[in-house]
Amino acid sequence: MSPLRIIILALLCYILYRLLFSGKKKGKEFPRSASGKAAPPQDVLVEDPVCHTYVPQKQAIRAVKEGKAYYFCSEKCCQTFLADKGEKQ
Ligand SMILES: [Zn+2]
């Protein structure tokens, strides 16, 4: 038996092994989020109080004001919101 055949055989075994295992593992694989923390449930839409856009909670900019969490589509909206609140009070 030539060494090449052994390598090919090993490769085939490996592929078969991988196929069997990937068949069992049906879980969805999400790319690691920027924040390493445990993410809240996916596909939760939150409203931006500044421009009233709905953004996925995972992607939203979060700001806490007086113990309440607010979500924004962008850093700009977040700044606008915080500045606006400050002026009015
Ligand atoms: Zn916005």
Side-chain angles (χ1 to χ4, degrees), residues 16-86:
L16 200 72
Y17 177 81
R18 285 299 295 259
L19 281 173
L20 286 171
F21 259 77
S22 61
K24 272 185 196 170
K25 207 169 97 183
K26 253 191 184 165
K28 318 153 254 182
E29 283 182 54
F30 290 102
R32 212 151 35 90
S33 58
S35 58
K37 290 173 186 174
Q42 289 94 20
D43 303 316
V44 174
L45 290 175
V46 286
E47 190 184 2
D48 183 328
V50 177
C51 64
H52 301 283
T53 302
Y54 284 89
V55 284
Q57 196 172 12
K58 277 179 89 179
Q59 289 166 32
I61 308 266
R62 187 169 174 269
V64 178
K65 180 92 176 175
E66 288 152 14
K68 198 174 183 295
Y70 297 93
Y71 297 91
F72 306 93
C73 68
S74 66
E75 191 75 49
K76 193 168 170 269
C77 282
C78 178
Q79 296 299 324
T80 305
F81 177 77
L82 293 174
D84 194 40
K85 271 246 165 173

